Amino acid sequence: MRLFIYFFIVSIMIFQPLEAAASEVEPVLISTYEEDVTGDGKLDAIKLYGVHFSPDSVYYKDIFAIITTETEEWRIDYQGGYDPTIQFIDLNHDNVPDIFYQSPTGGSGGLYTSKLDTLARNELESIPLPEQDYIKGYFEDGFQAVIEIAPNTKPIILDVQDRKDDYIRLGIFDKEGRLLQETPLMIDPIAFFEPVEISDRNGYGLKSFKQISGAYHADQLGVVETLWYYEDGKWIALKTDWKGTDEYDAAKFY
């Protein structure tokens, strides 16, 4: 009996690792690109790979790119997501295309994971993307929502009376429009970026999209769109616009 138990335990120890290895999901090739990302005048091979969360899942838990030149190879790791893409655009204006990655996270609000890298002169370097931290939003008496886009600028005042029944039910306002409790608006991080040509002379920049909602996420008020330009190692906000829900495609964010 003891001998039987011994062989039973040994067989489990042998076959379990084999079963685990067989169940692992292997990387799949998503896209192949050819671009001169090192600036030496020769096309480099860029392959984008992903590892599915499970064999029947369309979500990639791991995503990475392999860049191969005649003499070297680099790997860039990305966060997980759906339908990842790479664009090759000279965003830091050194006359060498940069490697700009984006992938939808699949969550509410249309958030993407984004990453920008350069391989100019065979040196892999990550370039931080623009951040927009100042924006503030809150409700005021009279069924109004106030949005401050930048310091020392005139705030945007929105009339939200068409949503007052919901806000009264939630206890934010009374029936006369008096604010019952200080309630901040819901300000998302930057959802995604869109490369935009500034001019023939100045090249490309990025446009960011940042959604603002009222009492809850589906209570969309609009989007802050900002045009950014990279200069002297930092991003400069060239222009910031407010677009209400009737001025932008809300489907982009869901």
Side-chain angles (χ1 to χ4, degrees):
M1 183 66 178
R2 290 182 179 179
L3 186 62
F4 172 78
I5 294 173
Y6 170 78
F7 281 112
F8 178 73
I9 294 173
V10 170
S11 66
I12 291 176
M13 294 174 64
I14 292 173
F15 289 108
Q16 269 190 338
L18 295 177
E19 291 175 0
S23 65
E24 288 181 1
V25 182
E26 295 295 323
V28 297
L29 179 62
I30 301 171
S31 301
T32 301
Y33 310 90
E34 284 191 335
E35 189 74 37
D36 177 16
V37 293
T38 60
D40 62 359
K42 300 176 183 178
L43 291 177
D44 307 307
I46 300 99
K47 293 185 177 181
L48 184 64
Y49 292 91
V51 179
H52 285 112
F53 181 77
S54 64
D56 57 350
S57 172
V58 295
Y59 176 81
Y60 297 101
K61 63 177 182 178
D62 296 308
I63 302 170
F64 59 94
I66 300 294
I67 300 100
T68 307
T69 67
E70 292 181 349
T71 58
E72 295 187 65
E73 184 173 280
W74 294 267
R75 171 171 169 150
I76 303 175
D77 289 294
Y78 302 115
Q79 295 182 34
Y82 298 86
D83 302 320
T85 59
I86 293 177
Q87 294 175 271
F88 302 95
I89 304 165
D90 182 15
L91 288 166
N92 67 348
H93 316 297
D94 62 355
N95 298 316
V96 179
D98 302 311
I99 306 164
F100 179 53
Y101 164 89
Q102 286 202 121
S103 175
T105 64
S108 63
L111 298 178
Y112 282 57
T113 58
S114 306
K115 195 172 190 301
L116 179 61
D117 295 279
T118 175
L119 248 176
R121 297 171 299 281
N122 292 321
E123 295 180 7
L124 180 60
E125 180 184 353
S126 180
I127 301 174
L129 287 164
E131 295 182 356
Q132 194 169 28
D133 299 325
Y134 176 81
I135 298 176
K136 299 178 181 179
Y138 46 90
F139 289 107
E140 277 192 348
D141 287 343
F143 297 112
Q144 292 185 329
V146 181
I147 300 166
E148 298 178 10
I149 290 179
N152 304 316
T153 59
K154 185 177 179 180
I156 296 162
I157 310 295
L158 303 178
D159 185 341
V160 292
Q161 289 207 48
D162 58 337
R163 311 171 192 220
K164 67 179 182 179
D165 291 343
D166 212 10
Y167 295 155
I168 292 170
R169 177 182 60 82
L170 293 169
I172 298 173
F173 294 96
D174 65 16
K175 293 182 179 180
E176 283 69 43
R178 288 187 291 265
L179 189 66
L180 298 178
Q181 55 179 324
E182 292 186 7
T183 305
L185 304 182
M186 295 189 66
I187 301 174
D188 282 358
I190 290 175
F192 60 94
F193 297 94
E194 182 180 288
V196 176
E197 186 175 18
I198 305 298
S199 67
D200 290 339
R201 177 182 176 183
N202 294 310
Y204 278 81
L206 289 173
K207 180 182 283 190
S208 65
F209 299 83
K210 191 180 185 78
Q211 182 173 284
I212 297 181
S213 302
Y216 47 89
H217 205 258
D219 182 26
Q220 300 173 46
L221 298 175
V223 170
V224 176
E225 297 183 0
T226 302
L227 187 60
W228 303 88
Y229 189 77
Y230 194 79
E231 189 173 51
D232 296 329
K234 62 181 179 180
W235 291 98
I236 300 169
L238 300 180
K239 183 182 180 183
T240 299
D241 293 317
W242 168 256
K243 298 290 181 69
T245 52
D246 58 340
E247 298 179 274
Y248 75 97
D249 181 9
K252 286 183 177 181
F253 296 86
Y254 286 91

